Amino acid sequence: MVALAALSAVVRYAADREPGADAGLFSQVLLSADGRTFTTPVMWTPCQEAQPRLFARETSQTVAADLKTGNTVDQTRKCPSASRLVSFTLHAPLGTRQLSEANTGKPFVSFPAARLADVDYLPPGFTAISDVPQVFGSVAGPWTPNPYNRSDTVPSWTRYYATAGRPALSITQVLPTAGTQDPPPDTHAGAPMSVHGHSASLVCDTDSERALTWSDGVSTFTVVSFDPQRTALSPDELLRIADGLRNP
């Protein structure tokens, strides 16, 4: 086993074996409960390029993480883009080491998996998926989660769920900074709601997109049902999902 102190003289840079330029890590980042594995969504065009790779350089004091773009295969071909979660495992837990982007040196914070809320209820047939549904990577409303828009100071993570013939579902959890409050009442687009005694807002209510958001003082949540081709889950169904979310 390699001691953490020895890492100051060792750089782990698995992407050296992968051609391509550093792409910048602009997506949400999840850190596993044991502090060793990073996960982030990536988007690419499969028929034109190889899937981007997550990589990291480790020392005893820092971890510099980034994405490396895939090889370009054939730019004359056209096919839908793909979105997927990719991971990288460190030699040792992150611990108190500073996390930053490898190509810019810019520090950022990841979302600790140990803080993810338990999901006690999903509509029948829905299961967690590792791919990011395309509807969440395309043009959508302001409350539709954007997994490719990372905050450098406020950790956030979005989980996705799907089943055949139903709109995609997402649950975004943000660890708020000091002073974060429940959503103001004037953001309601529908009837006022309550989740575990906290004010909730149906901030978007259309046939194809509904978003329920609230803060419980520990986390801020947004539950979204979205698909331009299908009818979104009902407000009552979103509320039932919300009521089933529990902070660990």
Side-chain angles (χ1 to χ4, degrees):
M1 179 176 179
V2 180
L4 180 61
L7 288 175
S8 60
V10 177
V11 172
R12 187 183 187 192
Y13 193 1
D16 278 342
R17 298 188 296 274
E18 299 294 333
D22 294 0
L25 188 57
F26 305 111
S27 305
Q28 295 177 337
V29 178
L30 181 72
L31 178 63
S32 62
D34 65 4
R36 292 191 60 207
T37 301
F38 290 98
T39 300
T40 192
V42 298
M43 181 178 289
W44 80 105
T45 307
C47 67
Q48 295 181 355
E49 58 187 348
Q51 179 175 312
R53 302 293 186 100
L54 183 62
F55 69 92
R57 301 184 182 101
E58 291 186 64
T59 72
S60 61
Q61 296 181 328
T62 64
V63 171
D66 239 321
L67 289 174
K68 183 168 284 292
T69 58
N71 281 340
T72 299
V73 178
D74 184 358
Q75 290 187 336
T76 65
R77 301 174 62 191
K78 293 184 178 181
C79 60
S81 59
S83 302
R84 188 162 300 163
L85 299 179
V86 296
S87 298
F88 183 85
T89 299
L90 302 171
H91 272 123
L94 178 64
T96 59
R97 293 183 288 173
Q98 179 170 305
L99 183 63
S100 64
E101 288 184 343
N103 64 337
T104 66
K106 185 178 181 179
F108 66 89
V109 295
S110 55
F111 192 104
R115 298 287 302 276
L116 281 173
D118 296 325
V119 181
D120 292 340
Y121 171 78
L122 290 171
F126 277 82
T127 58
I129 56 176
S130 58
D131 293 352
V132 180
Q134 286 297 306
V135 292
F136 288 120
S138 59
V139 177
W143 293 101
T144 303
N146 182 352
Y148 306 101
N149 184 16
R150 188 195 74 224
S151 169
D152 293 323
T153 58
V154 181
S156 64
W157 185 250
T158 302
R159 289 174 281 182
Y160 299 94
Y161 307 85
T163 190
R166 301 290 298 277
L169 173 69
S170 70
I171 298 174
T172 299
Q173 183 177 353
V174 179
L175 300 182
T177 56
T180 299
Q181 298 178 351
D182 288 350
D186 59 0
T187 62
H188 287 290
M193 295 183 174
S194 175
V195 178
H196 302 310
H198 300 278
S199 174
S201 295
L202 192 64
V203 293
C204 180
D205 187 2
T206 67
D207 288 343
S208 61
E209 181 177 13
R210 290 191 174 96
L212 180 67
T213 186
W214 74 99
S215 176
D216 62 7
V218 177
S219 298
T220 297
F221 296 94
T222 304
V223 178
V224 178
S225 171
F226 176 66
D227 190 329
Q229 305 302 320
R230 298 183 175 90
T231 301
L233 294 174
S234 69
D236 286 344
E237 193 77 296
L238 293 184
L239 187 59
R240 186 173 178 184
I241 296 168
D243 283 332
L245 290 172
R246 311 283 179 179
N247 282 299

